[in-house]
Amino acid sequence: TGSEIEDIINGILVMDPGNGYPFDSRPIIYNATFKNKTVQSSISKSSGDTYGGILLELGTQLSSEVFYNSQGNLTFIPTSETTSDGDKPLLCYVTAEKGDFDSLSFDLDFSSIVNKVIVTGSSNSSSSVVYRATAVNDDPKSPLCHQRIGYHMGSVINDPNITSNSLAKERADYELRKVLMMKSSVSFNVAFNPLLTVNNLVSVTDSFFGMTSKRYLIQSVSCSLDYSGTMSLSLTSLDNIPFITR
């Protein structure tokens, strides 16, 4: 504890796994708001665990999302940026009547829908109060809000790396957003467009389904190694995500 998190991350990445080369020599993308942040609670691992697990726990202490971007850089960004879906760029407009997409399909896993998440962290050393937060989908526009289908709660998330109520709240919002995206999605094929990237928005119009300039968040992008010139998008509706700017 007290060590700078950025130094620990870089120290792990330059370790030699046995072949004379570092794990990862590419520079990390480390949000400026994390500069000089230090480890708040000790991290212990057992035999068989991974360095990746340590990196994820450091990300939790930063309240950040940890992932490799499309250029292969390990990236740390605040979860508050990840969940600010209403502020993300709208990359393009697609319309069914113009033939902009095909093979439209919907997937809703109603049997395992979650619209309430509880997160608990470590306890305050002076008062023994456990840091805790709850995130609930209470957006009336969402078909999965608790006013429509009641509370559907997932497993309580216990993480000792959470050392304040604000960190617990950010984690709860992030986990609720993630599970809502996983359980409800739309997919279709579009012409290949290298500008379409994950965590950005697409406007979809399809009169048959009553969608008029409906905004969707891109969850995943995949392409086949052939000459079809198409790509498949998996998206989730912003109506299922209660954290957009109203």
Side-chain angles (χ1 to χ4, degrees), residues 12 21 24 33 39 54 67 74 124 135 140 165 175 179 198-199 205 209 212 241 246:
I12 291 175
Y21 298 95
D24 185 356
T33 59
V39 179
I54 296 176
F67 60 95
L74 184 61
N124 186 305
N165 286 330
E175 293 292 341
V179 75
V198 171
N199 265 339
T205 298
F209 291 104
T212 303
I241 304 174
R246 292 180 172 87

Short mmCIF file of all heavy atoms in Angstrom, two decimals, residues 12 21 24 33 39 54 67 74 124 135 140 165 175 179 198-199 205 209 212 241 246:
data_model
loop_
_atom_site.label_atom_id
_atom_site.label_comp_id
_atom_site.label_asym_id
_atom_site.label_seq_id
_atom_site.Cartn_x
_atom_site.Cartn_y
_atom_site.Cartn_z
N ILE A 12 4.79 -4.77 -13.82
CA ILE A 12 4.27 -6.09 -14.20
C ILE A 12 4.47 -6.33 -15.69
O ILE A 12 4.88 -7.40 -16.12
CB ILE A 12 2.79 -6.21 -13.80
CG1 ILE A 12 2.64 -6.26 -12.28
CG2 ILE A 12 2.15 -7.44 -14.44
CD1 ILE A 12 1.20 -6.25 -11.80
N TYR A 21 11.95 -11.63 -23.26
CA TYR A 21 11.20 -10.46 -23.69
C TYR A 21 10.19 -10.08 -22.61
O TYR A 21 9.74 -10.93 -21.83
CB TYR A 21 10.45 -10.74 -25.00
CG TYR A 21 11.35 -11.06 -26.16
CD1 TYR A 21 11.65 -12.38 -26.49
CD2 TYR A 21 11.91 -10.05 -26.93
CE1 TYR A 21 12.48 -12.69 -27.56
CE2 TYR A 21 12.75 -10.34 -28.00
CZ TYR A 21 13.02 -11.66 -28.31
OH TYR A 21 13.84 -11.96 -29.37
N ASP A 24 4.69 -7.25 -22.10
CA ASP A 24 4.04 -6.30 -23.00
C ASP A 24 4.87 -5.03 -23.03
O ASP A 24 4.96 -4.31 -22.04
CB ASP A 24 2.62 -6.00 -22.51
CG ASP A 24 1.84 -5.11 -23.47
OD1 ASP A 24 2.43 -4.66 -24.47
OD2 ASP A 24 0.66 -4.85 -23.20
N THR A 33 -6.43 11.53 -14.91
CA THR A 33 -7.01 11.66 -13.57
C THR A 33 -6.44 10.64 -12.59
O THR A 33 -6.61 10.78 -11.38
CB THR A 33 -8.54 11.52 -13.62
OG1 THR A 33 -8.87 10.23 -14.16
CG2 THR A 33 -9.15 12.60 -14.50
N VAL A 39 -1.88 2.71 -4.15
CA VAL A 39 -2.61 1.53 -3.70
C VAL A 39 -3.22 1.81 -2.33
O VAL A 39 -2.52 2.20 -1.40
CB VAL A 39 -1.68 0.30 -3.64
CG1 VAL A 39 -2.44 -0.92 -3.14
CG2 VAL A 39 -1.07 0.03 -5.00
N ILE A 54 -4.21 -9.23 -10.66
CA ILE A 54 -3.68 -8.07 -9.92
C ILE A 54 -4.01 -6.78 -10.67
O ILE A 54 -4.43 -5.79 -10.07
CB ILE A 54 -2.16 -8.21 -9.73
CG1 ILE A 54 -1.85 -9.44 -8.86
CG2 ILE A 54 -1.58 -6.95 -9.10
CD1 ILE A 54 -0.37 -9.71 -8.70
N PHE A 67 -8.89 -2.70 -20.18
CA PHE A 67 -9.06 -3.50 -21.39
C PHE A 67 -7.93 -3.18 -22.36
O PHE A 67 -7.20 -2.20 -22.20
CB PHE A 67 -10.40 -3.20 -22.06
CG PHE A 67 -10.58 -1.75 -22.47
CD1 PHE A 67 -10.27 -1.32 -23.75
CD2 PHE A 67 -11.05 -0.82 -21.56
CE1 PHE A 67 -10.41 0.00 -24.13
CE2 PHE A 67 -11.21 0.51 -21.92
CZ PHE A 67 -10.90 0.93 -23.20
N LEU A 74 -2.77 -1.62 -23.41
CA LEU A 74 -3.53 -1.81 -22.18
C LEU A 74 -4.04 -0.45 -21.73
O LEU A 74 -3.27 0.51 -21.58
CB LEU A 74 -2.64 -2.44 -21.10
CG LEU A 74 -3.34 -2.79 -19.79
CD1 LEU A 74 -4.44 -3.81 -20.00
CD2 LEU A 74 -2.32 -3.31 -18.77
N ASN A 124 -14.88 0.75 7.12
CA ASN A 124 -14.17 1.90 7.68
C ASN A 124 -13.49 1.48 8.97
O ASN A 124 -14.13 0.96 9.89
CB ASN A 124 -15.17 3.04 7.93
CG ASN A 124 -14.49 4.32 8.36
OD1 ASN A 124 -13.74 4.33 9.33
ND2 ASN A 124 -14.79 5.40 7.66
N ALA A 135 -27.36 0.13 -7.24
CA ALA A 135 -27.74 0.70 -8.53
C ALA A 135 -29.01 0.01 -9.00
O ALA A 135 -29.10 -1.22 -8.97
CB ALA A 135 -26.63 0.54 -9.56
N PRO A 140 -38.12 4.96 -16.57
CA PRO A 140 -39.42 4.49 -17.07
C PRO A 140 -39.43 4.19 -18.57
O PRO A 140 -40.32 3.50 -19.05
CB PRO A 140 -40.37 5.63 -16.72
CG PRO A 140 -39.50 6.84 -16.55
CD PRO A 140 -38.19 6.32 -16.02
N ASN A 165 -17.79 4.92 -0.32
CA ASN A 165 -19.13 4.77 -0.86
C ASN A 165 -19.21 5.25 -2.31
O ASN A 165 -19.96 4.70 -3.12
CB ASN A 165 -20.14 5.53 -0.01
CG ASN A 165 -20.42 4.85 1.32
OD1 ASN A 165 -20.34 3.63 1.43
ND2 ASN A 165 -20.73 5.63 2.34
N GLU A 175 -21.56 -2.15 -13.12
CA GLU A 175 -21.98 -3.55 -13.20
C GLU A 175 -23.42 -3.66 -13.69
O GLU A 175 -23.75 -4.58 -14.46
CB GLU A 175 -21.85 -4.21 -11.82
CG GLU A 175 -20.42 -4.35 -11.33
CD GLU A 175 -19.60 -5.34 -12.15
OE1 GLU A 175 -20.21 -6.18 -12.84
OE2 GLU A 175 -18.36 -5.27 -12.08
N VAL A 179 -24.57 -5.68 -17.14
CA VAL A 179 -25.50 -6.80 -17.18
C VAL A 179 -26.72 -6.48 -18.04
O VAL A 179 -27.27 -7.36 -18.71
CB VAL A 179 -25.91 -7.22 -15.75
CG1 VAL A 179 -26.89 -6.24 -15.12
CG2 VAL A 179 -26.48 -8.63 -15.74
N VAL A 198 -16.49 -0.07 -30.83
CA VAL A 198 -17.24 -0.40 -29.62
C VAL A 198 -17.36 0.82 -28.71
O VAL A 198 -16.48 1.68 -28.65
CB VAL A 198 -16.55 -1.57 -28.89
CG1 VAL A 198 -17.16 -1.81 -27.52
CG2 VAL A 198 -16.63 -2.84 -29.73
N ASN A 199 -18.49 0.87 -27.99
CA ASN A 199 -18.78 1.92 -27.01
C ASN A 199 -19.09 3.27 -27.64
O ASN A 199 -18.96 4.30 -27.00
CB ASN A 199 -17.65 2.07 -25.98
CG ASN A 199 -17.92 1.27 -24.72
OD1 ASN A 199 -19.05 0.91 -24.42
ND2 ASN A 199 -16.87 0.98 -23.97
N THR A 205 -33.08 3.23 -37.91
CA THR A 205 -34.46 3.48 -38.30
C THR A 205 -35.01 2.26 -39.03
O THR A 205 -34.40 1.79 -40.00
CB THR A 205 -34.57 4.72 -39.21
OG1 THR A 205 -34.12 5.87 -38.49
CG2 THR A 205 -36.01 4.94 -39.67
N PHE A 209 -40.46 -2.14 -37.24
CA PHE A 209 -40.37 -2.33 -35.80
C PHE A 209 -40.65 -1.04 -35.02
O PHE A 209 -40.47 -1.00 -33.80
CB PHE A 209 -38.99 -2.87 -35.41
CG PHE A 209 -38.74 -4.28 -35.86
CD1 PHE A 209 -37.93 -4.54 -36.94
CD2 PHE A 209 -39.34 -5.35 -35.20
CE1 PHE A 209 -37.70 -5.84 -37.36
CE2 PHE A 209 -39.11 -6.65 -35.61
CZ PHE A 209 -38.30 -6.90 -36.70
N THR A 212 -37.50 4.84 -35.00
CA THR A 212 -37.20 6.05 -35.75
C THR A 212 -36.02 6.75 -35.11
O THR A 212 -36.12 7.28 -34.00
CB THR A 212 -38.41 7.00 -35.79
OG1 THR A 212 -39.54 6.32 -36.35
CG2 THR A 212 -38.10 8.24 -36.63
N ILE A 241 -30.53 1.46 -20.57
CA ILE A 241 -29.42 1.95 -19.75
C ILE A 241 -29.87 3.25 -19.07
O ILE A 241 -30.10 4.25 -19.72
CB ILE A 241 -28.18 2.21 -20.61
CG1 ILE A 241 -27.80 0.93 -21.37
CG2 ILE A 241 -27.02 2.69 -19.76
CD1 ILE A 241 -26.69 1.10 -22.36
N ARG A 246 -30.33 13.06 -18.90
CA ARG A 246 -31.75 13.31 -19.20
C ARG A 246 -31.93 14.78 -19.52
O ARG A 246 -31.36 15.64 -18.90
CB ARG A 246 -32.61 12.92 -17.98
CG ARG A 246 -32.62 11.41 -17.73
CD ARG A 246 -33.49 11.08 -16.52
NE ARG A 246 -33.66 9.63 -16.40
CZ ARG A 246 -32.81 8.85 -15.76
NH1 ARG A 246 -31.73 9.36 -15.22
NH2 ARG A 246 -33.02 7.56 -15.68
#
